[in-house]
Amino acid sequence: MTPDHRDTRAIHVGQDPEQAFGAVSVPIYQNSTFAQSDVAEPKVWDYGRSGNPTRDAFERALASLEGGERCFAFASGMAAETTLLLTLRPGDHVVLADDVYGGTYRLLTRVLGPWGLELTTCDLADADALADAIRPQTRYVWVETPSNPLLKVVDIEAVAALAHASGAQVVVDNTFASPALQQPLALGADVVVHSVTKYIGGHSDLIGGAVITSDPGLIEAVGFLVNAVGAVPGPMDAFLALRGLRTLGVRMRRHSETAAAIAAFLVDHAMVNQVYYPGLPDHPGHAIAAGQMAAFGGMVSFLVDSADEASRIARGTRLFVLAESLGGVESLIELPGPMTHASVSGSDLEVPAELVRLSVGLEHPGDLIADLEQAFG
Ligand code: PLP
């Protein structure tokens, strides 16, 4: 029987005590191949690229949290995205949200563009703009919500209704919310992608990715590509990803509470011109976020007067570590313009140079606010 609640499923689905010795956590099956008892028998496990029991346990647990039939784990978020996009053919068209992780834009423009994939970027909050962007060749509408780094919120149900009416499918990058806070498949999306590196791993100690779907055609196509392309995670990373997933719910609630306190502090600060956090009542996507998310997540971005000021603050914190990435137990600070989003510089997706992005960790909120206070000076 599958438990009703995600917190329970994260700890039990795919994770029955191991049969040989009764280990209560899933072992790391650190092997590349599996002994066969005959040449022609039907095999559950044969070769580590096609499948591995540690990876399988992680995939089952994450599929259950996202409410999908099947999850495929990958060696990175980019490996997951690339493999999913290889289900398309030259001449196919993708509509991409106009605020996304820079690496997603770089993959679509610089890797898959020359290979023949067509791309339109679009403000997915604008239904007319989306209707204009969709063409007969559009296969995927690619959503990131909340988005990186401007925390834009997209109404998944509304985008899915529009896309489906034109025969396109909806991909949601659920990295920022994680399945603890948002389940895009239940809102009508066809596929969820993750950078498992972030909240799911949760401890800044692995690189991983995932694709989750219930669409039988996509399960078959992505399942084939997993083995044919081979961008899979090793057993140790799958183990770490599963260990992170087990505490996802409790971490996301605490990340969200502390981020809300930090957003409130920033709103009141004289040196801050604008705060981007979906939990703020005046955030343009607040009502949609309140409807489709259980809490508002741990990412906060804000604008100051100049790029120099942003850089001074980012270099001045003592607890917030100046680093790319997000979603770990420790708080991070970065400047998206020259750092995570350098690959969108000069494009429609360019982000302001005065923007500072925080990944709010699990430290005490009082210590984090004191750290920001001293860095503002
Ligand atoms: N999607 C989002 C929203 C991200 O922030 C990132 C990385 O920062 C990725 C995808 C890519 O994931 P990875 O770095 O695991 O390849």
Side-chain angles (χ1 to χ4, degrees), residues 15 46 59 134 163 180 198 262 319 329:
Q15 302 165 68
D46 51 15
E59 291 174 338
I134 292 179
K198 310 296 172 0
I262 288 181
L319 290 175
V329 294

Side-chain angles (χ1 to χ4, degrees), residues 23 26 90 132 142:
V26 173
D132 283 351
W142 193 289

Side-chain angles (χ1 to χ4, degrees), residues 76-78 81 101 144 148 173 175 195 197-198 207-208 326:
S76 68
M78 294 317 300
E81 294 187 13
Y101 171 57
E144 203 180 285
N148 185 359
D173 184 331
T175 299
S195 170
T197 315
K198 310 296 172 0
I207 300 285
L326 59 113

Side-chain angles (χ1 to χ4, degrees), residues 74-81 100-104 142 144-148 173-176 193-198 206-210 299 324-326 340-341 357:
F74 292 92
S76 68
M78 294 317 300
E81 294 187 13
V100 292
Y101 171 57
T104 302
W142 193 289
E144 203 180 285
T145 183
S147 67
N148 185 359
D173 184 331
N174 203 24
T175 299
F176 267 37
V193 296
H194 274 287
S195 170
V196 168
T197 315
K198 310 296 172 0
L206 75 104
I207 300 285
M299 299 300 296
E324 300 198 1
S325 200
L326 59 113
T340 47
H341 288 67
R357 191 189 76 179

Side-chain angles (χ1 to χ4, degrees), residues 39-268:
V39 285
E41 71 173 320
K43 298 165 271 191
V44 181
W45 308 110
D46 51 15
Y47 182 59
R49 170 158 38 77
S50 344
N52 169 284
T54 316
R55 191 168 106 207
D56 182 67
F58 169 65
E59 291 174 338
R60 284 175 194 273
L62 182 52
S64 172
L65 294 202
E66 287 287 4
E69 278 295 315
R70 192 74 166 82
C71 166
F72 299 101
F74 292 92
S76 68
M78 294 317 300
E81 294 187 13
T82 304
T83 306
L84 176 61
L85 286 163
L86 288 176
T87 57
L88 304 186
R89 293 288 169 266
D92 284 346
H93 176 244
V94 174
V95 176
L96 178 68
D98 65 354
D99 184 56
V100 292
Y101 171 57
T104 302
Y105 179 76
R106 179 176 55 201
L107 172 67
L108 281 157
T109 51
R110 295 185 53 192
V111 180
L112 297 170
W115 173 84
L117 210 63
E118 305 280 327
L119 179 72
T120 305
T121 56
C122 171
D123 177 0
L124 295 183
D126 180 342
D128 292 340
L130 176 57
D132 283 351
I134 292 179
R135 309 177 189 162
Q137 301 78 14
T138 305
R139 295 280 310 280
Y140 292 148
V141 176
W142 193 289
V143 178
E144 203 180 285
T145 183
S147 67
N148 185 359
L150 291 171
L151 284 307
K152 280 193 177 182
V153 172
V154 174
D155 184 335
I156 298 172
E157 250 174 342
V159 167
L162 252 169
H164 290 163
S166 310
Q169 292 191 302
V170 174
V171 180
V172 175
D173 184 331
N174 203 24
T175 299
F176 267 37
S178 93
L181 303 185
Q182 175 173 277
Q183 300 89 42
L185 298 179
L187 296 166
D190 301 279
V191 197
V192 168
V193 296
H194 274 287
S195 170
V196 168
T197 315
K198 310 296 172 0
Y199 287 107
I200 291 175
H203 296 74
S204 307
D205 54 9
L206 75 104
I207 300 285
V211 168
I212 302 100
T213 183
S214 297
D215 179 297
L218 279 172
I219 292 175
E220 198 182 330
V222 177
F224 167 76
L225 288 167
V226 164
N227 191 42
V229 175
V232 295
M236 180 69 192
D237 282 350
F239 169 82
L240 287 171
L242 179 58
R243 191 175 66 165
L245 192 69
R246 298 180 108 190
T247 56
L248 182 68
V250 70
R251 285 188 287 108
M252 291 312 294
R253 289 192 284 278
R254 169 71 181 243
H255 282 300
S256 301
E257 277 165 29
T258 310
I262 288 181
F265 158 78
L266 292 169
V267 164
D268 285 342

